[in-house]
């Protein structure tokens, strides 16, 4: 494969890496890198040798990815016995025998308590006398939503905020709408509606975030006393509020107290 | 292999992966190529399907990661090689015997042309 072909292969691998990000985390961690590598070999043998067109290659890759994504998520749900139940257990206090009751109005839903627990304890939630984790709703939505990095550069990161299952569901619904439109003879209208819905959803869920260095040296230095501690205002040394103005060396002090001549 | 000792039928993907690894340790893409070759191009495994099958076979202890690298100086260090376990070899043999029995019965009933 020549240089151009190698570049194309690397680009294809970058795209495939995005597909790999859609797999369940456990599968991705165990096999993600191997999958990308095997994909690169496959690309070199199929497209690089000219045996298969790029379009045909990607079609087969996408078909395989959709099928295996569905089977992996089904397997993950079966193996996990339901993510909801496991999360539910994890929020209970180990010392308290009381089960945590969940009512959406007061305590929030069961979404991601593992991450919310810290947020709740640190920012006004805390644990009540029954050992139940108390969360504040205004922290829940942003803190509990799972985030997945779609692409990242040195300074920016494109993140998808939400569940992958919702994305899969959206894809299924869009596909169903397109199929229904085609069958009923209104393919154009169905495509426009599906496109608008998909773009609106992605615009709502995908965010571009800017990365700043951690610690003092980021956008602004941390306040004295540590993050979150607000100290009372005090005059800076030699500030007009705290002391008298000092004349410059080449300037005569005002008033008649200076040496004459 | 089922608990009562009766060999359960393997899926085509699992069977062909075991069949490919019977020839020696291989990494993922080598397995996929061997499967395509052994099945005369009828079974084509994409990367997602391949590693999904490998994951399940690792969990069932039919295959395991191989510590030996056939050609370490020529190969990428990040590659992982797989090999058959004893259980995987037994499962493959049981499946092949099952196929042989089916072929024998088919020949007896003249459903299959004699070679």
């Amino acid at each position: 494969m020549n240089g151009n072909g190698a570049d194309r292969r690397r680009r294809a691998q970058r795209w495939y890496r995005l597909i790999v990000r859609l797999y369940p985390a456990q599968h991705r961690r165990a096999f993600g890198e191997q999958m990308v590598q095997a994909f690169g070999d496959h690309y070199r043998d199929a497209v690089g040798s000219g045996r298969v067109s790029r379009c045909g290659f990607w079609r087969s890759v996408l078909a395989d990815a959709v099928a295996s994504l569905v089977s992996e998520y089904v397997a993950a749900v079966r193996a996990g016995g339901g993510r909801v139940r496991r999360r539910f257990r994890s929020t209970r206090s180990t010392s308290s025998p009381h089960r945590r009751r969940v009512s959406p109005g007061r305590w929030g839903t069961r979404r991601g308590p593992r991450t919310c627990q810290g947020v709740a304890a640190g920012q006004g939630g805390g644990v009540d006398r029954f050992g139940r984790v108390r969360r504040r709703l205004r922290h829940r939505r942003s803190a509990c939503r799972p985030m997945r990095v779609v692409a990242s550069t040195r300074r920016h990161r494109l993140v998808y905020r939400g569940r992958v299952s919702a994305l899969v569901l959206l894809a299924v619904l869009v596909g169903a709408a397109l199929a229904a439109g085609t069958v009923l003879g209104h393919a154009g209208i169905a495509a426009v509606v599906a496109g608008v819905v998909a773009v609106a959803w992605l615009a709502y869920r995908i965010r571009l975030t800017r990365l700043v260095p951690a610690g003092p040296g980021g956008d602004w230095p941390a306040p004295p006393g540590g993050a979150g501690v607000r100290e009372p205002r005090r005059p800076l040394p030699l500030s007009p509020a705290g002391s008298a103005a000092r004349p410059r060396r080449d300037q005569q002090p005002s008033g008649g107290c200076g040496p004459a001549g | 292999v089922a608990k009562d000792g009766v060999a359960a039928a393997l899926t085509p993907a699992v069977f062909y992966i075991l069949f490919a690894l019977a020839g020696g340790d291989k990494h993922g893409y080598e397995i996929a190529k061997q499967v395509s070759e052994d099945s005369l191009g009828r079974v084509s495994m994409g990367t997602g399907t391949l590693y999904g099958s490998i994951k399940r076979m690792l969990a069932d202890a039919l295959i395991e990661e191989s510590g030996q690298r056939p050609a370490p100086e020529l190969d990428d260090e990040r590659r992982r090689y797989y090999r058959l376990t004893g259980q995987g070899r037994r499962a493959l043999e049981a499946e092949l015997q099952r196929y042989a029995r089916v072929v024998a019965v088919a020949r007896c009933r003249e459903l299959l042309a004699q070679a």
Side-chain angles (χ1 to χ4, degrees), chain A residues 21-22 65 71 95 109 131 156 176 179 182 211 242 256 259:
Chain A
R21 281 177 191 273
L22 298 176
S71 69
S95 59
T109 60
H156 292 89
T182 309
L211 300 176

Side-chain angles (χ1 to χ4, degrees), chain A residues 16-17 23-24 26-27 29-31 33-39 41-46 51 64-65 67-68 71-72 75-76, chain B residues 27-30 32-33 36 44-56 58 65 69 75-82:
Chain A
Y16 189 70
R17 213 176 275 277
Y23 282 86
Q26 196 184 0
H27 184 85
R29 277 195 292 269
F31 300 104
E33 200 54 42
Q34 294 181 71
M35 287 170 74
V36 173
Q37 209 166 34
F39 169 84
D41 292 344
H42 188 195
Y43 186 90
R44 183 193 57 211
D45 286 0
R51 200 158 43 87
D64 173 69
S68 62
S71 69
E72 288 308 321
Chain B
H27 61 75
Y29 183 59
E30 268 186 339
K33 275 201 302 188
S36 180
S44 173
M45 299 178 83
T47 314
T49 312
L50 173 71
Y51 280 97
S53 302
I54 285 178
K55 186 174 88 171
R56 282 182 274 284
L58 284 169
E65 271 192 43
R69 308 184 70 80
D75 204 3
D76 192 336
E77 284 183 2
R78 291 172 301 176
R79 282 194 200 282
R80 290 192 212 160
Y81 284 77
Y82 298 95

Side-chain angles (χ1 to χ4, degrees), chain A residues 111 156 175 210:
Chain A
R111 294 173 57 174
H156 292 89
R210 193 163 61 87

